[in-house]
Amino acid sequence: MDSLQLQRTYLDLTTPHVADACMRLGIAVRCAPAGLRPLWSESHIVGRACPARHYGSVDVFLEAIDRAVPGDVLVVDNGGRLDEACVGDLVTLETALAGLRGIVIWGLHRDSSELRTIRLPIFSLGTLPTGPQRLETQEAAALTSAKCGEHEVTSEDFVLADDDGVIFMPLSQAKGVAELAAAIRDTERSQAARMQLGTNFRKQARFDEFLAARTADESMTFRQHLRSIGGAIEE
């Protein structure tokens, strides 16, 4: 699935929809650490991952951007450091001019006012005025993989990010995940619409039937019951 297809397919899907779909399909749910947040609300990023590991200099970002294609998402691995900011306004402008969809930083950013003006979606652990005061040797894998929390991300992955966080998935699974996530989204929206009209969720989910079934079989779970009736509220 190319970048344009990803944009169209995941435009109206959220990270919770996708996380539930991954769980149902048996695909590992790889989320960025919970503290990694968007610079402003209602951000939405989707695109192939463009990994870059930071060693104290922006040259690795420029090299990663040079290799990227429009629609990619720059995924910056700064080891979760909280003692330096590694991305500022100039790197963000360069990323935007290259047609990338956003930046996900396992670390900190700076130049927040300028970044809000540039308006390229940014997800990071926070902000700090100080840039790097170190310069380390760049590893051979600097442009082939990046860590984000406990998870490793490569160009074989894609990124979906919104107000609930950031999730990474294999590109090879993008179509199947999207199809199931869309079904989950539509079911939840239908349930919510019926609740707005006065039909509570317990009635929609036939909760009394579930309680009776669980009494007869203690191994029965609510998730199993929901699947059997085509309902959704949790995976």
Side-chain angles (χ1 to χ4, degrees), residues 89-108:
D89 59 342
L90 296 183
V91 168
T92 301
L93 273 172
E94 188 74 6
T95 305
L97 287 171
L100 277 68
R101 302 293 296 185
I103 307 176
V104 172
I105 311 164
W106 189 34
L108 304 177

Side-chain angles (χ1 to χ4, degrees), residues 146-203:
K147 291 289 289 284
C148 190
E150 62 182 299
H151 303 298
E152 187 169 279
V153 182
T154 74
S155 59
E156 297 300 311
D157 295 310
F158 74 103
V159 183
L160 179 66
D162 59 20
D163 285 352
D164 285 307
V166 182
I167 189 167
F168 308 102
M169 291 156 289
L171 270 170
S172 61
Q173 302 283 349
K175 186 175 184 294
V177 169
E179 289 173 350
L180 182 52
I184 293 170
R185 173 202 64 201
D186 293 345
T187 298
E188 291 188 347
R189 286 181 178 174
S190 175
Q191 291 170 168
R194 293 175 65 189
M195 290 173 77
Q196 293 287 348
L197 293 173
T199 304
N200 65 47
F201 185 73
R202 284 165 294 146
K203 184 173 182 179

Side-chain angles (χ1 to χ4, degrees), residues 45-221:
I45 304 176
V46 61
R48 187 189 68 144
C50 173
R53 302 185 193 179
H54 181 245
Y55 300 92
S57 174
V58 300
D59 62 334
V60 70
F61 303 146
L62 301 179
E63 192 172 357
I65 293 167
D66 201 45
R67 296 184 178 196
V69 298
D72 285 356
V73 176
L74 184 62
V75 179
V76 172
D77 176 356
N78 202 33
R81 294 178 67 128
L82 301 179
D83 62 342
E84 64 179 30
C86 61
V87 172
D89 59 342
L90 296 183
V91 168
T92 301
L93 273 172
E94 188 74 6
T95 305
L97 287 171
L100 277 68
R101 302 293 296 185
I103 307 176
V104 172
I105 311 164
W106 189 34
L108 304 177
H109 71 272
R110 64 178 180 174
D111 303 324
S112 296
S113 178
E114 291 86 346
L115 297 189
R116 290 190 181 94
T117 300
I118 297 166
R119 212 60 185 175
L120 185 75
I122 303 284
F123 286 69
S124 82
L125 292 174
T127 184
L128 193 74
T130 306
Q133 301 181 52
R134 63 189 173 100
L135 189 58
E136 300 171 354
T137 302
Q138 184 170 308
E139 299 169 296
L143 296 166
T144 58
S145 68
K147 291 289 289 284
C148 190
E150 62 182 299
H151 303 298
E152 187 169 279
V153 182
T154 74
S155 59
E156 297 300 311
D157 295 310
F158 74 103
V159 183
L160 179 66
D162 59 20
D163 285 352
D164 285 307
V166 182
I167 189 167
F168 308 102
M169 291 156 289
L171 270 170
S172 61
Q173 302 283 349
K175 186 175 184 294
V177 169
E179 289 173 350
L180 182 52
I184 293 170
R185 173 202 64 201
D186 293 345
T187 298
E188 291 188 347
R189 286 181 178 174
S190 175
Q191 291 170 168
R194 293 175 65 189
M195 290 173 77
Q196 293 287 348
L197 293 173
T199 304
N200 65 47
F201 185 73
R202 284 165 294 146
K203 184 173 182 179
Q204 291 185 57
R206 290 149 47 184
F207 195 61
D208 54 344
E209 294 181 22
F210 163 68
L211 293 176
R214 192 180 62 183
T215 299
D217 179 1
E218 292 183 356
S219 67
M220 170 63 74
T221 68

